[in-house]
Amino acid sequence: MRPSVGQHCKQVLNRSKGGAGMRYSGFRVIAEALTGHKGWKPVWRDPAPQAEYDYIVVGGGGHGLATAYYLAKEFRQARIAVLEKGYLGGGSVGRNTTIIRSNYILDGNEPFYEFSLKLWEGLEQDFNYNAMVSQRGILNLIHTDAQRDAFVRRGNAMMLNGADATLLDREQIRAMYPWLNFDNARFPIKGGLAQKRGGTVRHDAVAWGYARGADLRGVDLIQNCEVTGMRIENGRIKGVETTRGYIGAKKVGVAVAGSSSRVMAHAGMRLPMESHVLQAFVSEGLKPLIDGVMTFGAGHFYVSQSDKGGLVFGGDIDGYNSYAQRGNLPVIEDVAEGGMALMPAIGRARLLRTWGGIMDMSMDGSPIIDRTHVEGLYFNGGWCYGGFKATPASGWCFAHLMAKDEPHKTATAYRFDRFLKGLMIDEKGQGAQPNLH
Amino acid sequence: MIINHPILGPRDSQEFVYLGDASLMTRPDGMTAGIEEFHDWLYNRDNPAGLHRELWYHEQGDRSWLVVTRNTVTHEITSVELARDVARKMGRSK
Ligand SMILES: Cc1cc2nc3c(=O)[nH]c(=O)nc-3n(C[C@H](O)[C@H](O)[C@H](O)COP(=O)(O)OP(=O)(O)OC[C@H]3O[C@@H](n4cnc5c(N)ncnc54)[C@H](O)[C@@H]3O)c2cc1C
């Protein structure tokens, strides 16, 4: 479906409205600095919903916004709206610890995550927005011989899929981070697997960049608009009921992450998913200590340092179903213990903030990007605690599925029926136990 | 969270292991149920925002299984029963 001339004119019109159409550049920053920053405009419009769209994407998180962006930009579709219950980027896309990587082992996953990492590498140029993509490297520490074997295998699987992986020994890690606790009696550091192309990205800016890019291409970003029902006739989607009235649509794609079960219940579906809370932590600002991302291999603790100097760290999910967006103390204690075991130097650093976000934990720890039994209704979810890194590829593959009605080649395994057919993608080999993935 | 154990009184939830939705107690009959029914039981969940009946195992205590009714939005626990009693009420021997 190509946009009609009328639709095209509308898009061009939209582009010239307000702040839309303004490109960012170094020159622009200097010019604005010299003229008192009076030229900046709102980055996207705030449109009222129209009666009908060709495409409705439910959820204005990273995945929903990326989907709308690629639908418009790569797949040349028009009459697209994103419906967001709160404000754009207020969900997990603005709550995560910002780590990107493609260090998976299984065939169903690794090509997808490597596709995502490649998209991250070109993203800022692509959507002309500074998302602070920083390929500062990720290091997974090894503490036992068996763990080394497992990481060697993982590294090989990564390289077979075109990703980079480097096995480091103890002395190489000592040269990087001499202050780590190398001789912990129970968990000595024996080495590590590094992915140098991994790193961090400014999470909010990802939502904003995609939002602006989509808005520029005529996508209506509609906030404070909760989907409360679905109109389905003769097995086909007709539109959605929302807090801002009924909105018709030819195709509806749901990308609401932690709220997946609630929204898909409107289509009578029960999902292979539980919602769980994951917490994150930030310390007071410290002098530069860690220039990459590091994970402890003997407990639940991972850490990086923000540009402002705060240590950004996290650990395990709390472990019980939750929609609360806040966690409890036992996990805070567990994460702090993990941190102290690995890097005793942080013992006196004060914790500034903690918060939580809701994870759509699937039954095998891997996501779903698929059609549903309702014609014209598509689903994207099950991202567990690792969906931020997936944002570009998830948006791309979901847009591909919605526009062409066939899955993108890196996302063919992300089907609903994989549980029925025994084709699980279970990186950890834990079985149907979401809180263990 | 504090779980008010029917026999042992208030206990820290850290002493327990969480399994999931209490519907896992009603496994379909392997002799009569089809694969779809088993699939639905094993993999699909209601996953409600609100009251949730769920299984907790008192691993660091008396090793009993409990059915806890808890609000997944507020984390408030409104009732705690021994899973054994719940099973008996459903007509099972244990
Ligand atoms: C503490 C924490 C740390 C994490 N760390 C990492 C990490 O380091 N690396 C990584 O890769 N991943 C990480 N994640 C996971 C990652 O953040 C998520 O998997 C990802 O953000 C989910 O996709 P999203 O951005 O689309 O979700 P969200 O931003 O949650 O978007 C979903 C949107 O849907 C909206 N919505 C819900 N219901 C409705 C409705 N009925 N109608 C309309 N809109 C609705 C919500 O308001 C929300 O804005 C972390 C998550 C948390 C909480």
Side-chain angles (χ1 to χ4, degrees), chain A residues 138-142 148 151-152 165-177 189-196:
Chain A
I138 177 163
L139 173 65
N140 303 123
L141 293 170
I142 295 169
R148 182 185 294 109
F151 274 135
V152 167
T166 318
L167 195 69
L168 301 178
D169 66 22
R170 192 178 150 92
E171 292 317 311
Q172 286 169 301
I173 292 168
R174 203 192 288 278
M176 292 166 74
Y177 303 123
I189 293 170
K190 295 199 159 196
L193 183 69
Q195 183 176 31
K196 299 207 167 116

Side-chain angles (χ1 to χ4, degrees), chain B residues 32-51:
Chain B
T32 55
I35 185 166
E36 309 252 324
E37 203 180 325
F38 255 100
H39 164 262
D40 197 45
W41 168 77
L42 182 57
Y43 292 110
N44 290 338
R45 302 284 186 272
D46 288 340
N47 191 22
L51 288 187

